[in-house]
Amino acid sequence: MKHPVPRMLGMLLGGLAVALPLAAQQANIQGVVRTDAGRPVAAAEARIEGTALVALTDSAGFYRLRSVPPGPQILLVRRIGFAPTRLPITVPTSGTLTVDATLAASALSLPDIIVTADPISRAAGELATASVIDREAIAAQNAVGIRGVLELLPGVPMSPPGIDGPQQFALRNVPSSGSTQLTNGGPGASDLAAFGTQIVVDGVPMSNNANLQTTGPRGEVNVPSTAGGGIDLRTIPAATLERIEAIRGVPSARFGDLTQGVILVETRAGVVPPTLNARYDPRTFSLNAIAGRGFGTRHTVTGHLDVTETRTAPGVRNDLSRRFTGQLAHRATPGRWTLDSRLDLFRVLQDSPERPEVVEGRASRADDRGVRVSHRGRRPVGQQATFELTASVNHVRRDARSQSLLIRSALPFTDRLEPGTSVGKYIGGEYLAAVDLDGSEWHVYTRAELDQSFDALGFTNRTRSGLELRREWNGGPGYQFDIEFPPQTTFNGVQGFDRPRRFDDVPPIASTALYVDHRARAGLAGMALDVQAGMRLDLLHRGTAWFSAPRDQVVQPRVQAELAPAGWFRLRGGWGRTAKMPPLSALYPAPQYFDVVNVNWFTNDPAARLAVLSTFVDDPTNPDLGFAVGTKSEVGVELASGRRGTALAVTVYRDRTRGSAGLNPDPGFLTRDLYDFSDSSFTGVPPTLIEPPTRADTVPILVDRPANNLHLLSEGVEISLTLPEFRPLNLRLDVQGAWARTELERDGLDFGRVFAESFQMNANRPRSPYWESPVRTGERVLLTYRLIHHQPELGLIITATMQHNARDRTQNLGGADTLAFAGYVTRAGELVPVPVERRGDPEFADLRVARIGFFNDPSQSRADWMLGINVTKTLPMGGRLNFFAFNALDRQGRLAEPGFSGRNYPPIRYGMTVMMPLGGPR
């Protein structure tokens, strides 16, 4: 939707005025922070998670937090050199609550350690449904990358650790059914959802919009990539993570370029004891080191290195994936400024060498390497405001190569790159097709934000307003191959072969965003009300600079509210609009080539053959392509009985994204010239053509044009439950459950395989049927149980995780019988609909054909479960030893049952991790 900015601000201020009649009630929290030996801890930070409320302890370990919002909250207490403590508390509407905390040198000695995502957590400054995963939960996961850590979220299937393939993540989505043919070569449901899930690392959004690792709608290249989907998460190792905040619900207006949700990633920085981590299982080896040191009182420097290697099938295949990452973080506090600078480096190499004994000639290799420089500066403005400036430059170089041995019958061929008619040649037999995909991606990002806190009319208020600028482009040499040995073997006489394409011919894209977000807290008659409302305006510019006219714009109002009738009971709800810009490859698609055969004189004698082809080049660019717009809504309830008590969170959500970038087959036609021969005898020389052409006919075509034609619906229920610890056995049970359903629908028509196989080149067929596009669906019910046994005095944690895949089903919904056609297309590209009541008439008998390649029958996996075991034990000098077994019982080793697909989980995987500090913090 397009609205002027003044109206946007008026709506925001009007919505905020609704809360003004409430009277304020606030409580204070105070307590003492001690070590596990009973000594007070000075200069420890006590913070209410998800708010700006923070206090430091004095020399006696005492702290006080004033005007704390009532209801269930998380008290985070931390200090450099100690393990952080997160305490679930219930804040009253008034008075003072005393909460003492214990900090331990080793987290495993804490009596209330949390090794899973907290069910009632809050992301900083956010009111939407979120999951917070802290450092100790990350360390207990045995993950080698962030994708494994995100398995702590409700509804996420578990997988063994490794980096053997590209990894992306989609919030609140399950894969839908069918091949990419059902979206005409466009992205599937999981790709769209991953593309719409924003990943923010240390305050800087990562970008996939410049990822042009694509070969066009007819490309047949198999390279490891997440092109068209989400970011490859293998570039973010788990060992460098300090904290993850997954905003699953409606994010505040601060976050844009998304439709699904936000993953906020905070990497480790500050003074960190030098630590070495080593991890091994039969397929994956990982080694990483981290250390942070202070220099004087104003500077700290933190460094991190990671090396990880995964072999897909040792002893069977030589496939190898290898990752190198490094980070250097510097914090300085000159005067009133706090300056954070980071340098991130990564390289991910994936190699699948040729296996001649299996498939001769087939091999692929991908080498991605990147560098990101980011800087954030924060400075207080007055007493209750902070100005923050964030800037980053991200560069990724992607070099991929794929080859395969192809066999092709003798076909006419032309290597023309411009429209026109020329004598072609015949290429056939066996040849090695090799393709290079070389991208050089750039992403420049800047954000200026003012954060203000103030009390007015008895309210606690916080306002964030900001400006974002982005510019993205790809300067790589692109999609390259020997044009006479293309990576496709099929040629129907019209849709010839793809041509090479440079990426650096594509202009950059620029986008601008303005946002304002306000959060107000108040109390009324013993109840607490928290309201967050905001407005965001995203502009996609027509030119390559921020001052150029907008190509598209979307206004995004968002509102979340929370009501706590009692300290242990909280009701939540949210609604908002989001937007995601289309990928650069859809804004500027590759030209489409059509090679029409005018003459195909083929004889056994190669010297006597003659091929004449006319090449047509179509630009499928859609000038109206713009944002995908999402509408997110959710309601939830949270119950929390206080420290060491029961915590329950239930959320019902419905997310609908309309207008994602897909491909729309646009029918048309070409004119084919036909010639007569002056000499057509088989004399050992090619025949002589009579100029000009004596006649012509039409050849129908489909132009694959990018369009905002994909619509994604995700709905479901999420449940998180933490039960009180059973003290006699030191046992605690955490339960997560999720039911999720996804629908992917495409506007437009499906012309099926009949169009290309029997209609285009058969001039005797005057028409061909078309069908309505199918709806692709996916449904999943996933339950995860974690039983945690903790012995603080021994430094021992045993976690048994059982994941029950109760339902995993995909299905296509659409007509497939002989009366399912919706109409027909003529040889001139004209679409003629046929009413349902007339499809059985005799005049449409030639259209009553089965829909080839389409299946309505559902595909589902057998309901089953897997068990994972994890044992963590402290070592001398503050070290830690961890053993794990994934799918320990491997109940799915038997063959798949009739009517069901294969196993849900890979076979058993086991390994160990060792963490050893090399010295204390300095």
Side-chain angles (χ1 to χ4, degrees):
M1 296 181 63
K2 302 179 181 180
H3 301 283
V5 175
R7 183 180 178 185
M8 173 186 74
L9 296 176
M11 293 172 61
L12 173 62
L13 296 176
L16 295 177
V18 174
L20 289 179
L22 297 176
Q25 296 184 24
Q26 301 290 340
N28 299 327
I29 298 178
Q30 66 183 29
V32 177
V33 179
R34 297 184 177 88
T35 68
D36 48 6
R39 295 189 298 272
V41 179
E45 178 187 280
R47 177 187 295 273
I48 299 299
E49 200 169 76
T51 73
L53 298 174
V54 62
L56 295 178
T57 59
D58 58 19
S59 59
F62 179 80
Y63 74 92
R64 180 190 293 271
L65 291 163
R66 302 180 184 276
S67 301
V68 180
Q73 303 288 355
I74 300 294
L75 176 65
L76 173 64
V77 182
R78 60 184 177 182
R79 188 189 187 282
I80 293 173
F82 295 89
T85 297
R86 298 172 71 245
L87 303 174
I89 60 176
T90 300
V91 182
T93 56
S94 61
T96 299
L97 176 67
T98 300
V99 181
D100 296 333
T102 300
L103 291 181
S106 171
L108 297 188
S109 63
L110 292 172
D112 298 299
I113 185 171
I114 299 175
V115 297
T116 60
D118 196 288
I120 57 172
S121 296
R122 283 290 180 271
E126 298 291 313
L127 196 56
T129 301
S131 295
V132 176
I133 307 172
D134 65 8
R135 178 61 208 160
E136 290 310 314
I138 294 170
Q141 269 300 96
N142 287 304
V144 297
I146 187 175
R147 176 59 178 81
V149 178
L150 294 175
E151 292 175 2
L152 291 174
L153 303 182
V156 179
M158 298 180 63
S159 60
I163 57 168
D164 47 335
Q167 298 175 358
Q168 60 183 29
F169 184 79
L171 279 167
R172 291 181 169 175
N173 177 266
V174 294
S176 61
S177 62
S179 67
T180 55
Q181 291 180 347
L182 297 181
T183 51
N184 203 48
S190 57
D191 293 324
L192 286 178
F195 190 57
T197 299
Q198 187 181 91
I199 309 294
V200 180
V201 180
D202 295 320
V204 178
M206 300 182 69
S207 172
N208 198 43
N209 292 336
N211 185 354
L212 274 179
Q213 306 303 313
T214 177
T215 59
R218 296 195 296 271
E220 299 175 4
V221 182
N222 182 26
V223 297
S225 172
T226 59
I231 298 162
D232 190 353
L233 297 180
R234 292 181 298 176
T235 62
I236 308 176
T240 191
L241 301 176
E242 178 67 29
R243 178 182 170 89
I244 296 174
E245 301 174 355
I247 305 175
R248 311 195 309 273
V250 183
S252 67
R254 188 174 191 253
F255 299 102
D257 197 34
L258 61 92
T259 53
Q260 296 299 114
V262 189
I263 306 295
L264 303 176
V265 180
E266 180 183 337
T267 60
R268 305 186 72 181
V271 180
V272 179
T275 304
L276 184 67
N277 292 269
R279 187 192 174 287
Y280 173 80
D281 69 46
R283 295 190 181 186
T284 299
F285 169 76
S286 179
L287 184 67
N288 56 76
I290 186 170
R293 178 175 177 174
F295 295 89
T297 60
R298 296 183 179 271
H299 298 270
T300 59
V301 176
T302 310
H304 175 264
L305 293 173
D306 175 273
V307 179
T308 301
E309 179 179 285
T310 294
R311 296 187 177 273
T312 304
V316 179
R317 293 155 52 187
N318 294 322
D319 293 7
L320 172 69
S321 298
R322 186 173 289 147
R323 176 184 69 196
F324 304 91
T325 67
Q327 184 187 75
L328 189 64
H330 172 243
R331 168 168 289 187
T333 54
R336 301 187 67 189
W337 282 94
T338 300
L339 305 177
D340 286 293
S341 302
R342 280 180 169 83
L343 171 65
D344 293 272
L345 305 168
F346 80 86
R347 183 174 187 179
V348 177
L349 175 67
Q350 186 165 340
D351 186 22
S352 298
E354 180 184 0
R355 299 172 63 201
E357 71 282 3
V358 179
V359 179
E360 185 178 356
R362 179 175 297 174
S364 65
R365 179 183 176 88
D367 188 359
D368 297 347
R369 52 210 184 274
V371 56
R372 182 174 71 250
V373 179
S374 62
H375 182 78
R376 284 192 294 175
R378 296 180 297 277
R379 187 183 190 279
V381 179
Q383 296 296 320
Q384 293 182 300
T386 303
F387 174 74
E388 180 176 299
L389 180 64
T390 303
S392 76
V393 177
N394 186 26
H395 175 53
V396 179
R397 176 77 190 191
R398 305 184 193 272
D399 297 328
R401 182 177 178 85
S402 173
Q403 68 176 40
S404 58
L405 194 64
L406 302 180
I407 300 177
R408 189 172 74 192
S409 58
L411 296 173
F413 171 79
T414 178
D415 56 2
R416 287 188 67 95
L417 297 176
E418 301 293 336
T421 300
S422 60
V423 176
K425 62 186 73 173
Y426 288 88
I427 297 181
E430 184 178 88
Y431 67 95
L432 185 66
V435 174
D436 291 299
L437 278 170
D438 297 331
S440 181
E441 303 166 16
W442 292 87
H443 175 216
V444 176
Y445 175 84
T446 303
R447 180 181 66 238
E449 181 180 84
L450 183 63
D451 189 339
Q452 298 172 286
S453 298
F454 58 95
D455 295 330
L457 301 177
F459 287 81
T460 300
N461 300 273
R462 183 184 184 187
T463 301
R464 295 181 298 186
S465 55
L467 167 69
E468 284 186 346
L469 303 175
R470 303 186 190 199
R471 195 168 188 266
E472 303 162 65
W473 69 95
N474 193 323
Y479 177 36
Q480 311 157 73
F481 56 89
D482 188 333
I483 196 170
E484 295 195 5
F485 302 99
Q488 301 113 320
T489 58
T490 57
F491 177 67
N492 62 9
V494 180
Q495 286 184 313
F497 303 103
D498 276 347
R499 308 295 203 268
R501 182 203 187 194
R502 296 192 65 86
F503 294 157
D504 51 18
D505 291 336
V506 175
I509 56 174
S511 62
T512 304
L514 297 166
Y515 63 88
V516 57
D517 179 75
H518 186 91
R519 186 170 177 177
R521 303 185 183 92
L524 177 64
M527 296 188 297
L529 176 66
D530 199 341
V531 178
Q532 186 170 17
M535 195 77 74
R536 182 181 179 92
L537 172 66
D538 277 284
L539 303 173
L540 177 61
H541 296 281
R542 191 171 300 277
T544 62
W546 295 300
F547 52 79
S548 59
R551 173 193 182 110
D552 194 14
Q553 61 188 40
V554 180
V555 175
Q556 305 156 61
R558 303 177 194 175
V559 60
Q560 305 92 15
E562 177 180 281
L563 179 65
W568 51 270
F569 182 40
R570 191 157 58 180
L571 298 171
R572 297 181 288 101
W575 177 91
R577 180 176 289 124
T578 58
K580 181 76 177 73
M581 72 174 65
L584 196 59
S585 56
L587 288 169
Y588 301 100
Q592 288 188 228
Y593 292 83
F594 298 91
D595 298 323
V596 175
V597 179
N598 307 103
V599 175
N600 184 14
W601 184 267
F602 185 81
T603 68
N604 292 328
D605 182 6
R609 299 171 185 172
L610 176 63
V612 178
L613 299 95
S614 295
T615 298
F616 299 84
V617 183
D618 190 279
D619 181 6
T621 299
N622 181 356
D624 298 324
L625 190 70
F627 285 101
V629 179
T631 302
K632 298 174 66 67
S633 57
E634 67 170 9
V635 293
V637 58
E638 293 179 357
L639 306 174
S641 61
R643 186 174 180 179
R644 300 191 184 96
T646 301
L648 172 66
V650 180
T651 304
V652 180
Y653 66 88
R654 182 182 177 89
D655 299 341
R656 179 179 289 275
T657 302
R658 303 197 65 85
S660 293
L663 294 175
N664 186 47
D666 188 7
F669 72 95
L670 303 173
T671 301
R672 176 175 59 176
D673 294 329
L674 301 175
Y675 296 85
D676 286 337
F677 303 135
S678 62
D679 179 10
S680 59
S681 61
F682 292 90
T683 59
V685 296
T688 302
L689 304 183
I690 298 176
E691 295 279 1
T694 57
R695 59 196 184 281
D697 63 5
T698 60
V699 179
I701 63 169
L702 297 175
V703 178
D704 297 310
R705 197 176 308 281
N708 295 111
N709 65 342
L710 294 181
H711 313 301
L712 185 66
L713 171 65
S714 298
E715 56 186 359
V717 180
E718 298 170 336
I719 300 175
S720 295
L721 172 65
T722 297
L723 295 177
E725 185 171 1
F726 184 60
R727 287 296 185 182
L729 297 179
N730 291 335
L731 284 176
R732 189 175 77 247
L733 177 63
D734 290 345
V735 182
Q736 288 181 334
W739 168 76
R741 184 177 182 273
T742 294
E743 288 186 2
L744 176 62
E745 180 181 1
R746 179 173 67 87
D747 288 340
L749 305 174
D750 177 16
F751 293 88
R753 290 162 51 184
V754 176
F755 187 94
E757 292 180 354
S758 60
F759 173 61
Q760 274 190 318
M761 296 308 298
N762 187 351
N764 296 322
R765 292 202 60 175
R767 58 189 182 180
S768 179
Y770 64 79
W771 294 264
E772 299 288 348
S773 293
V775 175
R776 304 163 62 184
T777 68
E779 184 181 12
R780 177 183 289 153
V781 177
L782 201 63
L783 300 170
T784 304
Y785 310 89
R786 290 183 174 89
L787 186 65
I788 304 164
H789 173 63
H790 185 206
Q791 295 186 10
E793 66 280 0
L794 298 179
L796 177 68
I797 298 177
I798 301 175
T799 305
T801 303
M802 189 185 79
Q803 189 167 84
H804 180 204
N805 196 322
R807 184 178 180 85
D808 200 332
R809 175 188 173 101
T810 60
Q811 187 175 10
N812 301 322
L813 303 177
D817 57 76
T818 57
L819 291 176
F821 68 94
Y824 61 88
V825 57
T826 68
R827 298 199 67 78
E830 180 185 4
L831 297 176
V832 181
V834 177
V836 176
E837 62 273 12
R838 296 198 56 200
R839 294 175 188 174
D841 293 355
E843 64 178 290
F844 302 120
D846 61 312
L847 302 177
R848 292 193 289 270
V849 296
R851 194 175 190 176
I852 302 174
F854 178 81
F855 301 96
N856 266 324
D857 295 336
S859 173
Q860 55 187 336
S861 299
R862 178 181 58 248
D864 212 334
W865 56 270
M866 62 82 66
L867 178 66
I869 303 294
N870 191 78
V871 180
T872 302
K873 177 67 175 68
T874 55
L875 296 176
M877 301 176 62
R880 182 182 299 186
L881 179 64
N882 182 277
F883 293 93
F884 73 92
F886 172 87
N887 198 5
L889 301 181
D890 197 9
R891 299 184 68 250
Q892 298 178 344
R894 57 184 182 273
L895 296 177
E897 300 174 6
F900 294 93
S901 57
R903 59 165 64 235
N904 293 324
Y905 301 99
I908 183 173
R909 193 81 58 83
Y910 54 88
M912 63 178 293
T913 302
V914 178
M915 184 275 288
M916 184 59 64
L918 303 179
R922 301 179 64 181

